[in-house]
Amino acid sequence: MQDLQNAYESIQKPFAWVDLNSLDANIQFINEQTKSKYVRVATKSVRSVEMLQYIEKGLHRFNGWMTFTLEETLFLLERGFDNFLIGYPQLDKLALEKIIPYIVAGKKVVFMVDQMAHWKFLESIGAVHNVVFSMCIDINMSKDFKFIYFGTKRSSIHNLEELKQLLEEMKEWKYAKVTGVMGYEAQIAGVADHPVQSYKKPLIQLLKNRSYHSISSFRKDAVRLVLSYYPTVEFVNGGGSGSISYTCSEKAVTEITIGSAFYAPSLFSRYDSLQLQPAAGFALQVTRKPEEHVVVCHGGGYIASGAVGVDKQPKPIYPTGLKLLSLEGAGEVQTPLYDPNQVCHIGDTVYFRHAKAGELCERFNELYLSRSGQLEAVFNTYRGDGKCFL
């Protein structure tokens, strides 16, 4: 952490930091672990044009972007990016029509679908503009164990019968064709091996172990079924940062989506298979000392999305030994910290890790990049470019 202190000594607080040595190590880890699979970068976990370009240069088998809205996709198209898989169904007609000229010009944009309403929307607009849209069918990889739904409420396609029904209903349509299949194994990629409540660990491991075979079997059969209708399917997408090892062992998968692993936020320190280095976070200034063993930082209420829990709070990492107060947590304008060793003084800087990846960039206009104790560059975030997509 001394390197960070040296690099950011004169930067106004609060600010978002990126350690390029750690980022490069994480990119190398991904290159080694993904082996023969291609990597599609999840833009929502990065949210910076310049950082996306930096990551692309470091990847050995880069295969495009997974974006999260039409407006974000247009924003990146305007900046020369190509090869998009929009990770979530889109039903905004005006935004879609702005992207059509790029598709006509040869840019690759693939739309996510999992039910007829999505497909019908694309078909109707394609017919008006005489353009054929590429689609990816999202199949639901979650597992319902009756006593618990293990995964995420995502796609409406839970089995082969539902998939076949969709394919049958759409096989005569002309302006929307299937070029990809996706199955996100959220119960592997999005569930840490070491939960905050340690008593849950045996149950999580049991449920993960019971999910592996069903995921593999369903994905293989689903891909075979889609290929029987669309033999020219170009890719099969799977996984996330939390399932790199498992997803890359899947023969049916051709590419894996990775985003959070680049920044390695604190949630991803709870996975056994990830050897990542903390590469990004934020820094606050100590502005108060209301009592012995307590200091107060200005700002800091950057809580991650998802189910509410202490694991979604930012974590102070330097100086060491600091802890959030359980009755206050990280606050909108101030964050009190327990300082047992009384190492902090008014005016000092405290470094934090955010719980999730890209949401950090929604709080800051710039990312300050350092390498070996030297400030190397400043990258704009989407927010710094005046954009907020969700």
Side-chain angles (χ1 to χ4, degrees):
M1 293 303 299
Q2 188 61 50
D3 281 351
L4 290 182
Q5 285 187 303
N6 293 339
Y8 301 128
E9 186 176 6
S10 62
I11 303 300
Q12 183 177 350
K13 273 71 72 173
F15 64 87
W17 56 267
V18 174
D19 182 342
L20 288 175
N21 289 332
S22 295
L23 176 63
D24 290 347
N26 293 341
I27 293 172
Q28 182 58 31
F29 175 82
I30 291 165
N31 283 331
E32 293 170 356
Q33 294 296 307
T34 50
K35 300 173 184 175
S36 63
K37 305 298 184 187
Y38 290 100
V39 175
R40 188 176 294 274
V41 176
T43 59
K44 77 177 184 67
S45 298
V46 180
R47 303 194 199 203
S48 165
V49 171
E50 293 165 291
M51 184 58 75
L52 290 171
Q53 293 168 332
Y54 183 94
I55 290 170
E56 178 186 358
K57 290 178 183 177
L59 290 172
H60 295 168
R61 290 169 294 278
F62 171 77
N63 198 41
W65 314 99
M66 178 179 284
T67 51
F68 57 99
T69 73
L70 284 166
E71 290 291 349
E72 184 212 11
T73 306
L74 178 62
F75 172 70
L76 294 175
L77 281 166
E78 292 170 342
R79 282 149 184 78
F81 286 62
D82 196 3
N83 194 358
F84 300 94
L85 170 60
I86 305 179
Y88 310 87
Q90 303 293 302
L91 298 168
D92 186 331
K93 179 174 179 291
L94 294 178
L96 176 55
E97 289 178 335
K98 293 177 183 177
I99 285 178
I100 288 176
Y102 290 94
I103 296 174
V104 172
K107 295 285 188 177
K108 181 179 289 188
V109 181
V110 183
F111 298 83
M112 196 65 67
V113 303
D114 67 71
Q115 52 194 269
M116 188 185 298
H118 306 147
W119 206 319
K120 189 174 182 179
F121 171 73
L122 293 170
E123 179 76 12
S124 63
I125 296 178
V128 171
H129 294 274
N130 194 31
V131 59
V132 178
F133 293 115
S134 295
M135 300 180 303
C136 177
I137 296 182
D138 186 4
I139 58 176
N140 196 325
M141 309 301 290
S142 300
K143 184 71 174 176
D144 190 350
F145 290 109
K146 304 306 178 185
F147 68 95
I148 186 172
Y149 184 87
F150 196 45
T152 184
K153 302 288 187 180
R154 192 181 177 104
S155 169
S156 62
I157 302 173
H158 303 87
N159 53 57
L160 293 176
E161 291 72 25
E162 292 172 345
L163 175 58
K164 185 172 183 177
Q165 180 180 351
L166 181 65
L167 291 167
E168 280 291 326
E169 291 173 345
M170 298 298 115
K171 66 181 181 180
E172 301 301 326
W173 289 20
K174 301 178 180 179
Y175 297 97
K177 64 177 182 178
V178 177
T179 60
V181 180
M182 186 180 86
Y184 173 52
E185 49 271 66
Q187 66 271 50
I188 309 300
V191 180
D193 298 307
H194 300 275
V196 173
Q197 298 89 355
S198 58
Y199 66 87
K200 293 182 179 179
K201 181 179 178 180
L203 176 61
I204 287 174
Q205 195 57 60
L206 172 65
L207 295 176
K208 280 192 175 187
N209 290 338
R210 291 185 60 181
S211 295
Y212 289 129
H213 177 72
S214 62
I215 290 172
S216 300
S217 178
F218 181 38
R219 177 161 30 218
K220 181 178 65 175
D221 292 342
V223 170
R224 183 184 298 118
L225 179 58
V226 174
L227 284 170
S228 70
Y229 286 81
Y230 294 91
T232 58
V233 163
E234 299 172 7
F235 66 88
V236 177
N237 181 282
S241 294
S243 67
I244 294 175
S245 178
Y246 168 71
T247 305
C248 289
S249 70
E250 288 280 273
K251 293 182 179 180
V253 171
T254 64
E255 65 173 39
I256 180 172
T257 299
I258 296 177
S260 296
F262 298 111
Y263 290 160
S266 62
L267 279 175
F268 287 82
S269 294
R270 297 179 176 276
Y271 287 79
D272 289 330
S273 61
L274 296 179
Q275 304 301 316
L276 301 172
Q277 299 181 22
F282 62 90
L284 307 178
Q285 188 173 47
V286 176
T287 57
R288 285 177 167 173
K289 188 174 176 63
E291 61 188 64
E292 193 175 27
H293 300 299
V294 174
V295 296
V296 178
C297 295
H298 193 42
Y302 313 140
I303 311 301
S305 63
V308 177
V310 296
D311 58 335
K312 300 301 171 59
Q313 295 187 111
K315 297 184 182 303
I317 59 172
Y318 190 82
T320 58
L322 301 175
K323 295 180 180 179
L324 296 173
L325 303 186
S326 61
L327 295 180
E328 294 200 47
E332 178 184 8
V333 289
Q334 70 167 41
T335 297
L337 297 169
Y338 176 57
D339 181 10
N341 301 315
Q342 299 196 77
V343 296
C344 286
H345 306 281
I346 289 178
D348 286 352
T349 302
V350 176
Y351 290 84
F352 292 76
R353 291 174 72 193
H354 196 256
K356 295 181 71 175
E359 293 173 25
L360 171 69
C361 291
E362 295 297 334
R363 297 290 186 166
F364 297 93
N365 292 332
E366 298 94 13
L367 296 171
Y368 287 87
L369 282 60
S370 66
R371 189 188 303 278
S372 304
Q374 299 293 319
L375 183 64
E376 185 164 302
V378 182
F379 287 174
N380 269 12
T381 63
Y382 283 178
R383 170 174 155 162
D385 287 328
K387 299 296 181 180
C388 178
F389 299 110
L390 277 182

